[in-house]
Amino acid sequence: MDIALKNAKIAVIGLGYVGLPLARLFATKYPVVGFDIDEERIKQLMLSEDKTLEVAKEDLQSVIKKSPNNDTGLYCTSSIDDIRDCNFYIVTVPTPVSDTHKPNLKPLERASETVGKVLKKDTVVIYESTVYPGVTEEVCVPVLEKVSSLKFNTDFYAGYSPERINPGDKTHTIDKILKVTAGSTEEIGKIVDALYNSVISAGTYLAPSIKVAEAAKVIENSQRDINIAFVNELAKIFNLLDIDTQEVLKAAGTKWNFLPFKPGLVGGHCIGVDPYYLAQKAQEYGYHPEIILAGRRINDSMGTYVASEIIKLMVHREKKIKGAKILILGITFKENCPDVRNTKAVDLIQDLKSYGTDVSIYDPWANKEEVATEFGLEITNSFPKDSFDAIVLAVSHHQFTKIDLRKSLTADGILYDVKGVLTTKVEGRL
């Protein structure tokens, strides 16, 4: 085995919210080729433009280079030929679930096929995509072996380092988050760990096996999902008791070990997806995970619950429901970022529409074309001048707290705060 970091040339497969920041970081120290099948995305990146807003233009400009040579820097491409001479391949493609909540490993398998076509001896393939324990070695490696005709742990090796990107977070950036690493052999584990440790200022943690690292990642988000489901259930209970949930959480939070989770819509590429990956693996082994799936059911139901609460408030105000004008503030899955993957704001919107209401959507962060393509919904990036029978803050973008929303309400209009961030008087909130 002849693998040395001093000779490292890295290919990052997938240049989305995870892959691009990682490629940019590695490119400050190594020659990096970023590969993505989206040619338009490649064109934008080569112009130092990132529509995800995860990497600043000046940071991209400082590393972008015009050819896939062996100089330090980042070259972005959609041509497989440009990644043939790399010796580290890092796969960062998404791992979604189907409409029936079954893990969809197709993007991972296709990425493995791509890498397999250029794989050669003494190379390491590292996966960052969130999966259930066993996917790397039981699903991805066989694809690599079949396509490349090389033998695992003899000709090539595997690693796993789960992504911990927090979209839109400019404080906990990739280099400041401790990275878990693992390798398919003890020696490869040390190499993978050293590779990441060379650019991650927060340091690394070398797990004893790939399966341990895979499991650690999937329970990180499952734990958050369960905790949020708990406070979402509390919100339902306290609303029935006519008690302010936010005030209850504030009081309980005075205890040093109370966990400060808040109710809300739980979407995104991780928390709303990862528990299903762990549940799938458990069910394959004959165990039905009750707490994990119960948490998912609660969180998946919150869009419908919030919609029904809004309609009830409007009925109490004797508002005509059919044709009522409702403004939704925010469609991204979280605040202050353009990411709309698996956003549960869409569930809220669709449920409100099912009552015959006229729903408008304002989001200054989301991309109009992406929302239209993904969900068939029309949004505006400018605050509407109309008056509304109800305004619903679904996502806590910082812009929303600076608007006098009551000026845009009709007489006896409803202001509903899903996120509990508005300081003005509201008619309803979780």
Side-chain angles (χ1 to χ4, degrees), residues 6-206:
K6 65 180 181 179
N7 300 320
K9 185 172 184 180
I10 303 167
V12 176
I13 312 301
L15 296 174
Y17 283 87
V18 174
L20 181 63
L22 183 69
R24 199 282 313 172
L25 180 61
F26 273 124
T28 61
K29 189 165 185 175
Y30 302 98
V32 178
V33 181
F35 177 87
D36 201 290
I37 59 175
D38 186 343
E39 294 183 4
E40 187 58 35
R41 171 76 167 155
I42 297 299
K43 291 177 183 177
Q44 291 173 351
L45 293 178
M46 290 301 288
L47 294 173
S48 300
E49 299 288 346
D50 173 28
K51 68 178 182 180
T52 70
L53 306 182
E54 287 302 302
V55 180
K57 187 180 182 71
E58 57 269 24
D59 289 336
L60 268 179
Q61 285 176 328
S62 68
V63 296
I64 288 291
K65 57 183 182 180
K66 298 302 181 182
S67 66
N69 55 35
N70 292 326
D71 296 331
T72 299
L74 172 63
Y75 178 76
C76 299
T77 182
S78 58
S79 172
I80 191 172
D81 289 333
D82 291 327
I83 60 174
R84 288 189 182 278
D85 63 342
C86 295
N87 50 12
F88 286 91
Y89 295 89
I90 303 178
V91 178
T92 64
V93 298
T95 43
V97 294
S98 68
D99 292 340
T100 57
H101 302 142
K102 297 296 182 184
N104 178 6
L105 299 176
K106 291 297 182 185
L108 208 52
E109 291 170 345
R110 286 195 292 267
S112 297
E113 289 173 358
T114 297
V115 174
K117 292 175 183 177
V118 296
L119 201 60
K120 57 185 181 298
K121 283 181 65 67
D122 293 334
T123 54
V124 182
V125 185
I126 304 167
Y127 290 87
E128 288 220 359
S129 306
T130 304
V131 293
Y132 56 75
V135 167
T136 298
E137 292 158 298
E138 297 166 12
V139 177
C140 300
V141 165
V143 174
L144 293 171
E145 285 189 312
K146 180 179 179 181
V147 177
S148 69
S149 299
L150 297 176
K151 188 175 180 181
F152 178 50
N153 278 342
T154 299
D155 299 321
F156 73 94
Y157 306 86
Y160 186 76
S161 183
E163 61 91 2
R164 283 176 166 172
I165 293 287
N166 187 25
D169 191 336
K170 303 307 179 186
T171 302
H172 301 96
T173 51
I174 184 171
D175 57 311
K176 297 174 184 174
I177 303 173
L178 192 142
K179 206 82 160 67
V180 173
T181 62
S184 55
T185 69
E186 184 176 350
E187 185 176 358
I188 291 301
K190 293 177 181 178
I191 291 173
V192 171
D193 189 70
L195 178 68
Y196 281 92
N197 199 44
S198 68
V199 293
I200 302 289
S201 58
T204 56
Y205 175 85
L206 178 57

Side-chain angles (χ1 to χ4, degrees), residues 234-249:
L234 291 180
K236 291 182 177 183
I237 294 170
F238 293 143
N239 281 342
L240 290 171
L241 300 177
D242 196 25
I243 299 173
D244 190 322
T245 304
Q246 299 293 336
E247 292 299 331
V248 173
L249 294 175

